[in-house]
Amino acid sequence: MIWNEQMECMPREEMRKLQGIRLKQTVELVYKNCEPYRQRMQEKGVTPADIQSLDDIAKLPFTSKKDLRDYYPWGLLSAPLSDIVRIHASSGTTGKPIVAGYTRNDLDIWGEVGARCFTAYGLGRNDVIQVSYGYGLFTGGLGAHCAAETIGATVIPTSSGNTEKQILLMHDLGSAGLACTPSYALYLADALLDSGIPREEFQLRAGAFGAEPWTEGMRKEIETKLGIKAYDIYGLTEIIGPGVGHECEYQNGTHLCEDHFYPEIVNPETGEPLPLGQTGELVFSTITKTGMPLLRFRTRDLTSLKYETCECGRTSVRMSRILGRCDDMLIIRGVNVFPSQVEAVLCDIPQLEPHYLIVVDRVNNLDTFEVQVEVNEKYYSDEMTKMLELRKNIAHRLQSVLTIMPDVKLVEPRSIERSQGKAKRVIDKRKLV
């Protein structure tokens, strides 16, 4: 099933021509309306007149998460605030969120690309789709919701958590599609088994899973336990959220909606474009967005691209499974967490030593997140009440920055292993194999 055959199956040369036209329009937009882009282009000696085709894209400056932090909150908008109809945000390394502003045009694009995803999963207007991503500033819930509504499906906006009710609604309302993180899908699978309701009484047949790393082994486990086809959905808050890319029934790479998001692969060290098929850092330019279009945004994701026509008939470029990241970001329960965020909070609490350890694991198919931190000798006490109060304070301060609550473990001074070289701050025990 294909939602937009004209765009998804467009011949490669026609696609490049369209991308070139849209890139030029976007460059003109940001040059005129966004001071940071205009300054950056002038520093490189580039004007919109220099961008005549896709071949000229390498002349343009890169954009990074640092730019979104430096120009927080509105500095990278290319539309007046009166045209911004929604805000989404993700966690930033300094405690301030990375903000993305959407115009009505941008939300229409999001619905369009999301519809391509859900249609590729075999879902349609006669289906019930249960959205179990978190709603709010996170793009997952509302992104999947918009996609389901665009194809005309019936949406159950359950959000995450309240698992017993999730199973009840899934059963009683006949959910055919499920959208959530892959780890929560496994958690639901175990809950479904515990419910005692026979699997054959459920109508679930397809899942849209993303927002955290997962593997082929995890896919097979989900498909076996839930009796469904498990599909990857790819997105970034900075670009548009879930809908940037999707798998098809052949699950041989992630189709990118390249008529809206032009991808490049560059050397993560030098920024130079790499030859076709090589693995490097994924870079996106949004070529149709009007609220906060980004040129050559460095995702830090390591992958490769292939342009051969897929068995499904789509000619859109396919992205291979992401191998890792260029930086040290952790994705815990679908939320981006940087060790530097944790360190910034802990170092601001006088009762603590600057020695800590982040331990991430996966128990019963859900991520666990523990922060071990040493208490200063002056404050370390056998009085349970004092320690519990300190632990609670630390946990809440971390949650206010990270948006998720860690399990804080207070440990004795000098008990965390020291290193003469680079300190080991993170132990990730999750088995992504």
Side-chain angles (χ1 to χ4, degrees):
M1 295 170 62
I2 295 176
W3 174 259
N4 187 337
E5 187 171 355
Q6 179 185 4
M7 291 298 175
E8 297 179 72
C9 302
M10 183 178 286
R12 292 302 317 165
E13 284 306 309
E14 289 185 31
M15 177 59 70
R16 282 188 62 83
K17 183 178 179 180
L18 176 65
Q19 290 169 326
I21 292 170
R22 290 180 168 180
L23 174 65
K24 181 172 175 59
Q25 292 171 340
T26 301
V27 170
E28 291 171 348
L29 175 68
V30 300
Y31 191 86
K32 178 182 178 182
N33 296 335
C34 185
E35 180 65 22
Y37 269 120
R38 181 164 58 251
Q39 288 181 353
R40 196 77 67 82
M41 289 176 64
Q42 288 173 346
E43 289 170 2
K44 289 178 68 73
V46 180
T47 69
D50 296 314
I51 309 301
Q52 296 298 319
S53 70
L54 277 181
D55 296 332
D56 297 319
I57 196 169
K59 299 176 182 178
L60 296 170
F62 286 110
T63 310
S64 68
K65 282 183 180 289
K66 184 178 184 300
D67 295 312
L68 277 84
R69 295 194 298 271
D70 290 347
Y71 295 106
Y72 169 92
W74 309 124
L76 291 182
L77 290 183
S78 290
L81 194 57
S82 58
D83 288 346
I84 301 298
V85 298
R86 192 192 297 171
I87 296 295
H88 280 284
S90 63
S91 180
T93 57
T94 63
K96 289 185 176 180
I98 287 175
V99 171
Y102 295 73
T103 61
R104 181 69 257 174
N105 166 77
D106 300 336
L107 293 183
D108 290 342
I109 291 169
W110 200 359
E112 157 71 20
V113 296
R116 295 182 193 181
C117 300
F118 280 17
T119 302
Y121 307 153
L123 298 168
R125 62 177 296 105
N126 296 319
D127 290 317
V128 176
I129 298 178
Q130 189 161 325
V131 178
S132 299
Y133 285 113
Y135 280 67
L137 288 173
F138 173 54
T139 57
L142 285 169
H145 187 115
C146 182
E149 286 191 338
T150 301
I151 64 173
T154 301
V155 188
I156 311 175
T158 52
S159 192
S160 55
N162 204 344
T163 305
E164 287 186 11
K165 182 171 284 188
Q166 297 264 5
I167 299 299
L168 176 72
L169 294 175
M170 186 185 295
H171 176 269
D172 293 352
L173 302 183
S175 301
L178 172 65
C180 64
T181 62
S183 57
Y184 191 60
L186 280 173
Y187 190 80
L188 283 172
D190 291 339
L192 189 153
L193 183 63
D194 293 340
S195 73
I197 304 173
R199 174 61 185 86
E200 54 269 21
E201 290 187 14
F202 291 82
Q203 298 180 41
L204 202 63
R205 68 173 190 274
F209 305 127
E212 65 184 15
W214 61 308
T215 60
E216 286 301 315
M218 198 168 181
R219 187 210 301 271
K220 289 176 183 175
E221 190 172 356
I222 291 171
E223 292 185 335
T224 299
K225 287 187 172 182
L226 282 178
I228 64 172
K229 190 92 164 174
Y231 296 96
D232 186 45
I233 189 166
Y234 178 74
L236 308 85
T237 299
E238 299 86 354
I239 302 303
I240 211 163
V244 174
H246 61 87
E247 290 182 309
C248 65
E249 65 266 33
Y250 292 97
Q251 297 177 318
N252 185 19
T254 299
H255 291 273
L256 299 177
C257 297
E258 57 177 321
D259 53 317
H260 294 290
F261 321 110
Y262 178 70
E264 301 174 77
I265 298 292
V266 303
N267 184 312
E269 300 296 328
T270 67
E272 291 297 314
L274 292 175
L276 291 179
Q278 285 199 16
T279 296
E281 182 182 353
L282 180 63
V283 173
F284 277 115
S285 294
T286 64
I287 54 177
T288 55
K289 286 179 69 179
T290 54
M292 200 181 79
L294 296 181
L295 297 175
R296 307 195 79 196
F297 177 76
R298 300 188 67 158
T299 68
R300 313 305 287 170
D301 289 333
L302 297 172
T303 186
S304 61
L305 300 175
K306 49 186 174 183
Y307 288 86
E308 300 84 2
T309 300
C310 182
E311 291 179 80
C312 69
R314 292 176 178 83
T315 57
S316 51
V317 62
R318 282 172 288 160
M319 175 181 75
S320 63
R321 183 174 287 278
I322 292 172
L323 301 178
R325 295 184 61 83
C326 307
D327 53 30
D328 61 351
M329 186 181 78
L330 296 165
I331 300 179
I332 305 172
R333 304 173 206 153
V335 175
N336 297 347
V337 174
F338 292 85
S340 56
Q341 291 175 292
V342 175
E343 182 169 320
V345 172
L346 298 180
C347 288
D348 200 37
I349 300 175
Q351 297 96 323
L352 304 179
E353 293 286 347
H355 302 290
Y356 66 94
L357 186 64
I358 299 169
V359 182
V360 185
D361 203 348
R362 185 162 284 157
V363 178
N364 294 328
N365 300 318
L366 283 180
D367 289 342
T368 61
F369 176 28
E370 180 183 272
V371 175
Q372 300 177 14
V373 60
E374 291 184 5
V375 181
N376 185 285
E377 287 183 356
K378 288 195 304 181
Y379 297 100
Y380 194 81
S381 172
D382 291 333
E383 292 184 34
M384 184 70 70
T385 303
K386 285 186 178 180
M387 291 295 96
L388 285 175
E389 185 177 345
L390 177 59
R391 179 174 174 268
K392 183 178 179 180
N393 176 44
I394 297 167
H396 281 293
R397 290 180 67 168
L398 285 168
Q399 184 186 33
S400 70
V401 171
L402 306 174
T403 74
I404 60 173
M405 177 79 80
D407 178 20
V408 174
K409 182 178 180 181
L410 302 179
V411 299
E412 295 180 4
R414 304 178 183 274
S415 60
I416 292 178
E417 183 179 353
R418 305 294 197 261
S419 173
Q420 295 184 18
K422 185 177 180 181
K424 186 175 182 61
R425 299 297 194 192
V426 179
I427 297 176
D428 194 339
K429 299 180 178 179
R430 292 173 294 185
K431 301 297 183 182
L432 297 176
V433 294

Coordinates of all heavy atoms in Angstrom, one line a residue, residues 199-247:
R199 N -4.8 -14.5 22.8 CA -4.3 -13.6 21.8 C -5.2 -13.5 20.6 O -5.3 -12.5 20.0 CB -2.9 -14.1 21.4 CG -2.3 -13.4 20.2 CD -2.1 -11.9 20.5 NE -1.6 -11.1 19.3 CZ -2.4 -10.6 18.4 NH1 -3.7 -10.8 18.5 NH2 -1.8 -9.9 17.4
E200 N -5.9 -14.6 20.3 CA -6.8 -14.6 19.1 C -8.0 -13.7 19.2 O -8.7 -13.3 18.2 CB -7.2 -16.0 18.7 CG -7.9 -16.8 19.9 CD -6.9 -17.6 20.7 OE1 -5.7 -17.3 20.7 OE2 -7.4 -18.5 21.4
E201 N -8.2 -13.2 20.5 CA -9.3 -12.3 20.6 C -8.9 -10.8 20.3 O -9.8 -9.9 20.3 CB -9.9 -12.3 22.1 CG -10.6 -13.6 22.4 CD -11.2 -13.6 23.8 OE1 -11.3 -12.5 24.3 OE2 -11.7 -14.6 24.3
F202 N -7.6 -10.6 20.1 CA -7.1 -9.2 19.7 C -7.0 -9.1 18.2 O -6.8 -10.1 17.5 CB -5.8 -9.0 20.4 CG -5.8 -8.8 21.9 CD1 -5.8 -9.9 22.7 CD2 -5.8 -7.6 22.4 CE1 -5.8 -9.8 24.1 CE2 -5.8 -7.4 23.8 CZ -5.8 -8.5 24.6
Q203 N -7.2 -7.9 17.7 CA -7.2 -7.7 16.3 C -5.8 -7.0 15.9 O -5.7 -6.6 14.7 CB -8.3 -6.8 15.8 CG -9.7 -7.5 16.1 CD -10.8 -6.6 15.6 OE1 -10.8 -6.0 14.6 NE2 -11.9 -6.5 16.5
L204 N -4.9 -6.8 16.8 CA -3.7 -6.2 16.5 C -2.9 -6.9 15.4 O -2.7 -8.1 15.5 CB -2.8 -6.1 17.8 CG -1.8 -5.1 17.9 CD1 -2.3 -3.7 17.9 CD2 -1.0 -5.3 19.2
R205 N -2.4 -6.1 14.4 CA -1.6 -6.7 13.4 C -0.4 -5.9 12.9 O 0.5 -6.5 12.2 CB -2.5 -6.9 12.1 CG -3.0 -5.7 11.4 CD -3.7 -6.1 10.1 NE -3.9 -4.9 9.3 CZ -5.0 -4.1 9.4 NH1 -5.9 -4.4 10.3 NH2 -5.1 -3.1 8.6
A206 N -0.2 -4.7 13.3 CA 0.9 -3.9 12.9 C 1.3 -2.9 14.0 O 0.5 -2.4 14.7 CB 0.6 -3.1 11.6
G207 N 2.6 -2.6 14.1 CA 3.1 -1.7 15.1 C 4.1 -0.7 14.5 O 4.9 -1.1 13.6
A208 N 4.0 0.6 14.9 CA 4.9 1.6 14.5 C 5.8 2.0 15.7 O 5.4 2.7 16.6 CB 4.1 2.9 14.0
F209 N 7.0 1.5 15.7 CA 7.9 1.6 16.8 C 9.1 2.4 16.6 O 9.8 2.2 15.5 CB 8.3 0.2 17.3 CG 7.1 -0.8 17.5 CD1 7.1 -2.0 16.9 CD2 6.1 -0.4 18.4 CE1 6.0 -2.8 17.2 CE2 5.0 -1.2 18.6 CZ 5.0 -2.4 18.0
G210 N 9.5 3.3 17.5 CA 10.6 4.2 17.3 C 10.9 4.9 18.6 O 10.5 4.5 19.7
A211 N 11.7 6.0 18.5 CA 12.1 6.9 19.6 C 13.2 6.3 20.5 O 13.7 7.0 21.4 CB 10.9 7.3 20.4
E212 N 13.7 5.1 20.2 CA 14.8 4.5 20.9 C 15.5 3.5 20.1 O 14.8 2.9 19.1 CB 14.4 3.9 22.3 CG 13.4 2.7 22.1 CD 12.9 2.2 23.5 OE1 13.0 3.0 24.5 OE2 12.4 1.1 23.5
P213 N 16.7 3.1 20.3 CA 17.4 2.1 19.5 C 16.7 0.7 19.7 O 16.3 0.4 20.9 CB 18.8 2.1 20.1 CG 19.0 3.4 20.8 CD 17.6 3.7 21.3
W214 N 16.6 0.0 18.7 CA 16.2 -1.4 18.8 C 16.8 -2.2 17.6 O 17.3 -1.7 16.7 CB 14.7 -1.5 18.8 CG 13.9 -1.0 17.7 CD1 13.9 0.2 17.1 CD2 12.8 -1.7 17.0 NE1 13.0 0.3 16.1 CE2 12.3 -0.8 16.0 CE3 12.2 -3.0 17.1 CZ2 11.3 -1.2 15.1 CZ3 11.2 -3.3 16.3 CH2 10.7 -2.4 15.3
T215 N 16.8 -3.5 17.8 CA 17.5 -4.4 16.9 C 16.6 -5.4 16.2 O 15.4 -5.5 16.6 CB 18.6 -5.1 17.7 OG1 17.9 -5.9 18.7 CG2 19.5 -4.2 18.3
E216 N 17.1 -6.1 15.3 CA 16.4 -7.2 14.6 C 15.9 -8.2 15.7 O 14.8 -8.8 15.5 CB 17.2 -7.8 13.5 CG 17.4 -7.0 12.3 CD 16.0 -6.6 11.7 OE1 15.2 -7.5 11.5 OE2 15.8 -5.5 11.3
G217 N 16.8 -8.5 16.6 CA 16.4 -9.5 17.7 C 15.2 -9.0 18.5 O 14.3 -9.8 18.8
M218 N 15.2 -7.7 18.8 CA 14.0 -7.2 19.5 C 12.8 -7.2 18.6 O 11.7 -7.4 19.1 CB 14.4 -5.7 19.9 CG 13.5 -5.2 21.0 SD 14.2 -3.7 21.7 CE 13.1 -3.3 23.0
R219 N 13.0 -6.9 17.3 CA 11.8 -6.9 16.4 C 11.2 -8.3 16.4 O 10.0 -8.5 16.5 CB 12.3 -6.5 15.0 CG 11.1 -6.4 14.0 CD 11.4 -6.7 12.6 NE 12.5 -5.9 12.1 CZ 12.3 -4.7 11.4 NH1 11.1 -4.2 11.3 NH2 13.4 -4.1 10.9
K220 N 12.0 -9.3 16.3 CA 11.5 -10.7 16.2 C 10.8 -11.1 17.5 O 9.7 -11.7 17.5 CB 12.7 -11.7 16.0 CG 13.2 -11.6 14.6 CD 14.4 -12.5 14.4 CE 15.0 -12.3 13.0 NZ 16.3 -13.1 12.8
E221 N 11.3 -10.6 18.6 CA 10.6 -10.9 19.9 C 9.3 -10.2 20.0 O 8.3 -10.8 20.4 CB 11.5 -10.5 21.1 CG 11.0 -11.0 22.4 CD 12.0 -10.7 23.6 OE1 13.1 -10.2 23.3 OE2 11.6 -11.0 24.7
I222 N 9.2 -9.0 19.5 CA 7.9 -8.2 19.5 C 6.9 -8.9 18.6 O 5.8 -9.2 19.0 CB 8.1 -6.8 19.1 CG1 8.9 -6.0 20.1 CG2 6.8 -6.1 18.8 CD1 9.3 -4.6 19.7
E223 N 7.4 -9.3 17.4 CA 6.5 -9.9 16.4 C 6.0 -11.3 16.9 O 4.8 -11.6 16.7 CB 7.2 -10.1 15.1 CG 7.5 -8.7 14.4 CD 8.1 -8.9 13.0 OE1 8.7 -9.9 12.8 OE2 7.9 -7.9 12.2
T224 N 6.9 -12.0 17.6 CA 6.5 -13.3 18.1 C 5.5 -13.2 19.3 O 4.4 -13.8 19.3 CB 7.7 -14.1 18.6 OG1 8.6 -14.3 17.5 CG2 7.3 -15.5 19.2
K225 N 5.8 -12.3 20.2 CA 5.0 -12.2 21.4 C 3.6 -11.5 21.1 O 2.6 -11.9 21.7 CB 5.7 -11.4 22.5 CG 6.8 -12.1 23.2 CD 7.4 -11.4 24.3 CE 8.4 -12.2 25.1 NZ 8.9 -11.5 26.3
L226 N 3.6 -10.5 20.2 CA 2.3 -9.8 19.9 C 1.6 -10.4 18.7 O 0.5 -10.0 18.5 CB 2.6 -8.3 19.7 CG 2.8 -7.5 21.0 CD1 3.1 -6.0 20.6 CD2 1.6 -7.5 21.9
G227 N 2.3 -11.2 18.0 CA 1.7 -11.8 16.8 C 1.4 -10.7 15.7 O 0.4 -10.7 15.0
I228 N 2.4 -9.8 15.6 CA 2.1 -8.7 14.6 C 3.4 -8.5 13.7 O 4.4 -9.2 13.9 CB 1.9 -7.3 15.4 CG1 3.2 -6.9 16.2 CG2 0.7 -7.4 16.3 CD1 3.1 -5.5 16.8
K229 N 3.3 -7.5 12.8 CA 4.4 -7.1 12.0 C 4.9 -5.8 12.7 O 4.1 -4.9 12.9 CB 4.0 -6.8 10.6 CG 5.1 -6.6 9.6 CD 5.6 -7.9 8.9 CE 6.4 -7.5 7.7 NZ 7.0 -8.7 7.1
A230 N 6.2 -5.8 13.1 CA 6.8 -4.6 13.8 C 7.6 -3.8 12.8 O 8.6 -4.3 12.2 CB 7.6 -5.1 14.9
Y231 N 7.2 -2.5 12.7 CA 7.9 -1.6 11.7 C 8.6 -0.5 12.4 O 8.1 0.0 13.5 CB 6.9 -1.0 10.8 CG 6.1 -2.0 9.9 CD1 4.9 -2.5 10.2 CD2 6.7 -2.4 8.7 CE1 4.2 -3.3 9.3 CE2 6.1 -3.2 7.8 CZ 4.8 -3.7 8.2 OH 4.2 -4.6 7.3
D232 N 9.7 -0.1 11.9 CA 10.5 1.0 12.4 C 9.9 2.3 11.8 O 9.5 2.4 10.7 CB 11.9 0.9 12.0 CG 12.8 2.0 12.7 OD1 12.6 2.2 13.9 OD2 13.6 2.6 12.0
I233 N 9.8 3.4 12.7 CA 9.4 4.7 12.3 C 10.5 5.6 12.7 O 10.9 5.5 13.9 CB 8.0 5.1 12.8 CG1 7.6 6.4 12.1 CG2 7.9 5.2 14.3 CD1 6.1 6.7 12.3
Y234 N 10.9 6.5 11.9 CA 12.1 7.4 12.2 C 11.7 8.8 12.2 O 11.0 9.3 11.3 CB 13.2 7.1 11.2 CG 14.5 7.9 11.4 CD1 15.3 7.7 12.4 CD2 14.8 9.0 10.5 CE1 16.5 8.4 12.6 CE2 15.9 9.8 10.7 CZ 16.8 9.5 11.8 OH 17.9 10.2 11.9
G235 N 12.3 9.6 13.1 CA 12.0 11.0 13.2 C 12.9 11.7 14.2 O 13.5 11.1 15.0
L236 N 13.0 13.0 14.0 CA 13.7 13.9 14.9 C 12.9 15.1 15.2 O 12.3 15.7 14.3 CB 15.1 14.3 14.3 CG 16.0 13.3 13.7 CD1 15.7 13.0 12.3 CD2 17.5 13.8 13.8
T237 N 12.9 15.5 16.5 CA 12.2 16.8 16.8 C 12.6 17.9 15.9 O 11.8 18.7 15.4 CB 12.4 17.1 18.3 OG1 11.9 16.1 19.1 CG2 11.7 18.4 18.6
E238 N 13.9 18.0 15.7 CA 14.4 19.2 15.0 C 14.0 19.2 13.5 O 13.9 20.3 12.9 CB 16.0 19.2 15.0 CG 16.6 19.3 16.4 CD 16.7 17.9 17.1 OE1 16.2 16.9 16.5 OE2 17.3 17.8 18.2
I239 N 13.7 18.0 12.9 CA 13.3 17.9 11.5 C 11.8 17.9 11.4 O 11.3 18.8 10.7 CB 13.9 16.7 10.9 CG1 15.5 16.7 11.0 CG2 13.5 16.6 9.4 CD1 16.1 17.9 10.4
I240 N 11.1 17.0 12.1 CA 9.6 17.1 12.1 C 9.0 16.0 13.1 O 7.8 16.1 13.3 CB 9.0 16.9 10.7 CG1 7.7 17.7 10.6 CG2 8.8 15.4 10.4 CD1 7.2 18.0 9.2
G241 N 9.8 15.2 13.7 CA 9.2 14.1 14.5 C 9.0 12.9 13.7 O 9.5 12.7 12.6
P242 N 8.3 11.9 14.3 CA 8.0 10.6 13.5 C 7.4 10.9 12.2 O 6.4 11.6 12.1 CB 7.1 9.8 14.5 CG 6.5 10.8 15.4 CD 7.5 11.9 15.5
G243 N 8.0 10.3 11.2 CA 7.4 10.5 9.8 C 8.5 10.9 8.8 O 8.3 10.9 7.6
V244 N 9.7 11.2 9.3 CA 10.9 11.4 8.5 C 11.1 10.2 7.6 O 11.5 10.3 6.4 CB 12.1 11.9 9.3 CG1 13.3 12.0 8.4 CG2 11.8 13.2 10.0
G245 N 11.0 9.0 8.2 CA 11.2 7.8 7.4 C 10.4 6.6 8.0 O 10.0 6.7 9.1
H246 N 10.3 5.6 7.2 CA 9.5 4.4 7.6 C 10.0 3.2 6.8 O 10.5 3.3 5.7 CB 8.0 4.7 7.3 CG 7.7 4.9 5.8 ND1 7.5 3.9 4.9 CD2 7.7 6.0 5.1 CE1 7.3 4.4 3.7 NE2 7.4 5.7 3.8
E247 N 9.7 2.1 7.3 CA 9.9 0.8 6.6 C 8.7 0.5 5.8 O 7.6 1.0 6.0 CB 10.2 -0.3 7.6 CG 11.5 -0.2 8.3 CD 11.8 -1.4 9.2 OE1 11.0 -1.7 10.1 OE2 12.9 -2.0 9.1

